[in-house]
Structures are given as C-alpha cells and as structure tokens.
Amino acid sequence: MTSHPELLTSGPADARPVLILHGGGGPATVAPLAEHFAADAHILLPTHPGWNGTPRPAGCTRISDLSAVYLRLLHDHDLSDVLVVGSSLGGWIGGEMAVADSEHRISGLALIDPVGIHVAEEPVQDFFALDARGVAEHAYHDPDRFYVDPTTLPAERIAAVQANLRTLRLFSGGPAMSDPGLRDRLAAVTVPVLIVWGESDRIATPAYGKHYAASFPDARFELIPRAGHLPHLEQPADTFARLDAFADRTRRH
C-alpha cells in the first residue's frame, strides 16, 4: 500500500502542515475545518481510500492500515510539525498515527468527538441501526437543522451514502466502532492532545469522551455547548477558537 489517497491541498505551501481526517460522512463533513485553517496553514485534506468511490487497495481494511497510509504521506512529502485534526473515525485514525509516528512528524493531535476506544459503561451508539432521522437525533444538538429526508435525494446520492456506510462498517469493525486494544496503545502517545466534544453528542457521549482523554498521557478535554457529534458544524466559532489556541500552543519553534 504505497499509493497515496485522493488529496486536496490549500493554504500557504510553506506554512505549518495541518492534516484533516474526516469521519464516516466523508470529506464534506470537515470542509469547514479545512477552510478555517487554510488562512495560515498548509492544509492536507484526504479522502480515505474507499470513500466517495475512491480506490481502496485490497489489503487496506483496518484503521491501522489508514494510519500507515497517512504516515507514509507525511514521510513522502517530508512534512514535520504536523497538526493532525481528526473528526469521529478520523480521530481514531489520528490516534493510531500518533502511536506509530516513529519519525516524530506529528507535533499536536486535535480529536473532535473521536471513536475507537472500548468503554463498557459508555458504548458507542450502533450507528448502522439508525435511520436518517435517528442519525440526526443522535448526532446533532439541533437535528431539525441538519436532517435530510432521504426520499428527497436522487438515487445516485443514496447509493453513494450506502457505499460509504459499507466502507465505514469495514474499517470500524461494525456497530461497536472500537478496538479493545486501542486505549493501551494511546498511553504511548507523547505529543499534546486536545479532545473537543459536543455536549449533546449521543453517538458517543461526553462521558465516553472523558475516558478517551484519560487514555493519553497529555490530553485536555473541552466541552462545546449546544453541539453534537460534529461541533465544528453546529458551533464553528467556539470550536475553531479552541482548535486555534491548541495549534498555537503546540507549534514547534
């Protein structure tokens, strides 16, 4: 697996690199993050292999495989002082990257409502069991603002969403959305970590998020009011302010 994923870049090429990793909904869900950081950072916004119809190598089936893809990307572009920003499943990928970053290219890890760890008392919601209305109710503080009636969508859009869901199920391991060994591995991460969480997230609760933060040696947990699983969509100003402060704090001089 040496080929690179589909990649959009923006911002000044000589600025600090920011790698933005999307969740199950695809790169459109993190586009506002890329737009925000592009003012003074070099943005790398990949589409994970298999999402939105992109090629997925036959051996690329686990989160650790995606982590290896992106560490190879940083290596091949000789990038350092990289801020990794991951949303939901992208946060899981970012955590695995920080664990395996033997070249120390990553200087900060900002995770937005990530999944991936197993917390028996706070299981991640079975996303695949929810209909479109259920997804909106669990994922957003204001579901009516984001709910889209699937009967209003064209057939090709529905097919694309269903294909992305199949790819998400493959990489995440199904409903559990977790790897029982991940928490122990995260204890080896040495870079600073920011965990940002939407207070109204019912896909993965804030209590789950606090367990996530406690998995790292050096992590800060920050709650975003009036936001769910994607706080950068519901409360962008508050979310961006916290991400900006963390970016400034972790920049290598």
Side-chain angles (χ1 to χ4, degrees):
M1 292 184 299
T2 58
S3 61
H4 290 161
E6 184 175 293
L7 182 68
L8 292 175
T9 60
S10 57
D14 58 350
R16 185 190 190 184
V18 176
L19 175 66
I20 299 178
L21 302 173
H22 67 78
T29 61
V30 293
L33 289 165
E35 183 178 354
H36 171 74
F37 277 108
D40 58 4
H42 176 48
I43 304 304
L44 298 94
L45 175 57
T47 298
H48 305 326
W51 263 265
N52 290 3
T54 59
R56 179 183 61 80
C60 188
T61 59
R62 301 173 300 173
I63 296 298
S64 58
D65 297 328
L66 294 176
S67 165
V69 166
Y70 294 126
L71 287 172
R72 171 59 61 181
L73 179 72
L74 301 187
H75 172 86
D76 289 351
H77 288 268
D78 194 23
L79 299 176
S80 60
D81 190 22
V82 178
L83 173 62
V84 175
V85 180
S87 168
S88 190
L89 186 85
W92 183 355
I93 300 167
E96 291 281 19
M97 287 182 68
V99 169
D101 181 25
S102 59
E103 297 182 338
H104 305 290
R105 296 184 178 275
I106 298 169
S107 55
L109 186 63
L111 308 183
I112 303 170
D113 297 66
V115 296
I117 66 168
H118 173 70
V119 181
E121 60 271 35
E122 291 288 338
V124 175
Q125 168 67 38
D126 182 356
F127 184 81
F128 303 100
L130 300 174
D131 61 13
R133 185 71 207 184
V135 169
E137 294 285 350
H138 284 77
Y140 296 105
H141 176 78
D142 184 2
D144 290 338
R145 178 182 163 199
F146 292 91
Y147 170 69
V148 176
D149 183 348
T151 64
T152 66
L153 297 176
E156 60 269 21
R157 176 61 186 153
I158 293 173
V161 169
Q162 291 174 340
N164 281 350
L165 280 173
R166 288 192 294 271
T167 305
L168 174 63
R169 185 185 284 273
L170 171 68
F171 279 104
S172 67
M177 290 265 187
S178 65
D179 176 345
L182 179 60
R183 292 176 84 172
D184 288 342
R185 293 197 297 280
L186 295 179
V189 173
T190 58
V191 298
V193 180
L194 174 66
I195 305 287
V196 174
W197 218 273
E199 188 175 35
S200 301
D201 189 356
R202 293 172 60 209
I203 298 292
T205 65
Y208 174 91
K210 291 178 180 178
H211 282 284
Y212 219 114
S215 303
F216 294 97
D218 179 13
R220 178 181 301 191
F221 178 85
E222 298 192 8
L223 202 61
I224 306 291
R226 300 178 304 281
H229 194 62
L230 301 166
H232 52 285
L233 299 186
E234 290 195 274
Q235 298 296 335
D238 193 357
T239 305
F240 294 160
R242 296 166 194 251
L243 292 172
D244 288 346
F246 179 72
D248 290 342
R249 194 163 66 245
T250 58
R251 191 185 308 272
R252 290 174 184 162
H253 297 287

